[in-house]
Amino acid sequence: MTDIRTFTEEFLRFDTTGGAEADAQAWVRDRLDELGFETYEWTADAGRLAEHPSFPDDPSDIDVADRPSVAGVLEFGDTGAGKTLVLNGHADVVPVERDLWSSDPFEPTWVGDDDLRARGAADMKSGLAACVFAALALREEAPDLDGRVVVESVVGEEEGGIGAAAAALDNPYPFERDAAIVAEPTELQVVTATEGCLMKRLTLTGRSAHAATRWVGESVLPHFETVRRAFEALESERTETVTHPLYDDFPIPWPVVVGTVEAGSWASTVPAELTAEMRIGVAPGETVDDVETQFEARLDEIVADSEWLSAHPPTFERFSIQFEPAETDPDEPVVGALQAAMEATGLDDTEPRGATYGADSRHYVAAGIPTVVFGPGSIEQAHYPDETVHWPEVEQARETITETARRFLG
C-alpha cells in the first residue's frame, strides 16, 4: 500500500496551478479507489456560484471547466447511528516564480531528513495527505465505530473556494455532514475563526500635460496618496474599535493592503490615470458589505473635500472574489474532539485562535456545518519561494486527526 510520504511526493509533482488540477484530481481519485474509499466527484456550476456573494456576478468570469473536485468515503459500522466527519484539503496551488527557487518547485526535494520543499508542500498537499492517511489509520485502529469519514480534495480554493463552495451549496453526497476539519497550515494549532476580505479597485482620473508644463495638468498621484493615507488611518481606527478576543495578539488584525498600483502612460507626461487594487480585512462578526460601506464613506469624505475629485469622481468597485469571515463556536463537539485529541497525542497548546486569512472553512460554516481549521505547516511558508513543510508536523497531524475522528465518531 502507498505510504503517506510517497503519496505526498507524487501529489506534489503535479503542477496544479489554478485551473490545471484535472490530472492530479484523477490521480487522487485513483489512489482513493485503490485504498478502499468509495469515491465521489463533482464539478462546480458557474451559474450557481455567480449567485454566491464570494464570486463574480458574471458566470463567464468563474473558471470551472475541467476542474473536478473528488472525495473518498470510509464507512464504519451503523452509519445511520453515527456521525459524518469531513476532512478537507485543496489541490490547487498558487503560481511560482521559478527564478527565486533553489530547486524545481514541482519536484519534491528533501532538505535534510525532515523538511520537504515543493510548491504546495505547506499549502496544502501535505495536509490533504495527512487527512487521507488519518482516515486509513482510523479504519485499521478503530473499526468498531459508527459513522463516516469523508476526505475531500477540492479545486479552486485560491480563487474563492470553487470546489468547496459547490459542495457546500449542493451536497454531492447522499448523506448529511455533521462537522469538518480543513487541514490548512496552522502550525498544529486550533483555528476556529478566519478573517474575511473585501477586494476593491480604485480608479482615479486627472489631466495629462507635458512634464515641462506640469502645472497645467492634474496628477493623480497626490490624490491617490490622500486616499491611501485615509484608508491607512481607517485601518488604525478599526484596529482600536473592532475587537475580537481571538485576534488580540495581531498588531494589525484587519489589514488593508494596496497590492497593485498602475499610473501614467509616459515618463515625461503628468499621470492622468491611476488604478489601484486592494485587499481589506473583514473581522469575524462583520460582513463584507459592512466594511465596504465604511471605506466607501471615507472615500466620499475625501471626494467632498477635493474640488478636483468632486468634479471627477473616482470609481471604487469590487473585483475578483470576496471572502466572508467565518467562526465556529469553540464549544462545538468537533472542536472539543480536536482539543482532546491534541492533548492525547502530545500537543499541549489547545487554545482556539483566529487567523487573518480566509479558508474554505467559511463555505461549510455558512452551510451550517461546524468547521475547524487544523493542519501541518506554517502560513508563513504558503505562497513563498522554497515553500517547505516540516515533515514531523505532517506525521503529527495525521496522528492527531485520526484521534480526532475517533473521538468525534465515538
Side-chain angles (χ1 to χ4, degrees):
M1 182 178 73
T2 301
D3 62 84
I4 185 172
R5 184 178 288 229
T6 301
F7 181 98
T8 304
E9 289 174 338
E10 292 183 10
F11 195 15
L12 288 167
R13 288 191 176 97
F14 288 95
D15 180 350
T16 52
T17 305
E21 304 101 334
D23 289 347
Q25 292 292 76
W27 177 86
V28 170
R29 183 168 187 173
D30 286 346
R31 298 294 80 71
L32 292 174
D33 278 327
E34 291 173 359
L35 294 167
F37 290 82
E38 180 181 3
T39 55
Y40 292 81
E41 181 174 315
W42 66 96
T43 299
D45 181 310
R48 186 89 164 99
L49 293 184
E51 300 171 357
H52 190 288
S54 283
F55 295 93
D57 294 335
D58 186 347
S60 66
D61 292 335
I62 307 172
D63 180 13
V64 299
D66 198 25
R67 302 183 75 178
S69 293
V70 301
V73 178
L74 293 181
E75 295 189 341
F76 299 83
D78 182 356
T79 56
K83 299 176 183 177
T84 295
L85 177 65
V86 175
L87 307 178
N88 170 278
H90 63 84
D92 58 308
V93 298
V94 297
V96 298
E97 297 170 306
R98 288 180 178 269
D99 291 346
L100 301 179
W101 282 70
S102 302
S103 57
D104 183 343
F106 295 105
E107 181 53 47
T109 301
W110 288 94
V111 183
D113 294 331
D114 289 338
D115 293 315
L116 178 59
R117 181 172 67 219
R119 173 57 86 220
D123 186 18
M124 57 166 292
K125 291 178 179 177
S126 297
L128 204 160
C131 292
V132 171
F133 285 84
L136 292 173
L138 187 68
R139 183 177 64 186
E140 296 298 316
E141 298 169 10
D144 297 332
L145 294 170
D146 293 324
R148 299 181 189 84
V149 173
V150 181
V151 179
E152 292 182 340
S153 176
V154 296
V155 299
E157 189 273 346
E158 304 289 357
E159 298 163 68
I162 288 170
L169 290 169
D170 301 299
N171 187 353
Y173 314 111
F175 49 79
E176 296 303 314
R177 298 155 290 180
D178 295 294
I181 298 172
V182 175
E184 289 278 9
T186 68
E187 301 180 26
L188 301 177
Q189 295 177 333
V190 183
V191 171
T192 57
T194 56
E195 189 167 318
C197 70
L198 166 67
M199 307 296 288
K200 294 284 279 185
R201 179 182 290 126
L202 172 72
T203 303
L204 297 171
T205 302
R207 182 170 59 218
S208 62
H210 194 288
T213 57
R214 71 177 181 86
W215 54 89
V216 301
E218 183 74 26
S219 173
V220 290
L221 297 179
H223 297 296
F224 170 68
E225 185 58 19
T226 299
V227 174
R228 191 198 64 77
R229 286 198 304 266
F231 284 0
E232 188 176 73
L234 182 53
E235 175 193 71
S236 297
E237 293 169 24
R238 285 172 45 76
T239 295
E240 297 299 321
T241 61
V242 181
T243 60
H244 189 291
L246 298 184
Y247 289 81
D248 288 344
D249 291 338
F250 291 101
I252 305 175
W254 331 119
V256 179
V257 175
V258 180
T260 68
V261 180
E262 296 182 0
S265 58
W266 190 249
S268 61
T269 300
V270 173
E273 294 182 348
L274 181 144
T275 300
E277 294 178 341
M278 62 195 73
R279 177 197 185 277
I280 299 169
V282 181
E286 296 185 302
T287 68
V288 167
D289 288 347
D290 292 338
V291 176
E292 184 175 44
T293 297
Q294 294 177 35
F295 280 83
E296 288 179 342
R298 187 60 54 94
L299 180 61
D300 288 343
E301 294 174 7
I302 295 166
V303 171
D305 288 342
S306 166
E307 181 178 349
W308 179 266
L309 293 180
S310 294
H312 306 83
T315 62
F316 193 41
E317 300 173 339
R318 292 188 185 189
F319 77 101
S320 185
I321 52 175
Q322 317 301 321
F323 280 49
E324 290 289 349
E327 186 169 12
T328 291
D329 190 328
D331 292 331
E332 282 288 344
V334 68
V335 180
L338 174 58
Q339 291 172 313
M342 292 171 69
E343 292 178 351
T345 57
L347 297 175
D348 297 329
D349 185 0
T350 65
E351 285 299 310
R353 284 175 164 76
T356 53
Y357 53 80
D360 275 344
S361 55
R362 74 191 191 283
H363 294 303
Y364 297 104
V365 171
I369 302 168
T371 303
V372 61
V373 186
F374 172 87
S378 170
I379 194 64
E380 294 181 1
Q381 287 290 325
H383 303 192
Y384 271 53
D386 283 352
E387 178 182 345
T388 302
V389 69
H390 189 54
W391 189 254
E393 286 192 20
V394 181
E395 295 283 6
Q396 176 72 62
R398 183 209 59 76
E399 181 184 2
T400 302
I401 293 171
T402 301
E403 180 63 16
T404 302
R406 188 186 70 77
R407 291 170 180 267
F408 184 73
L409 268 61

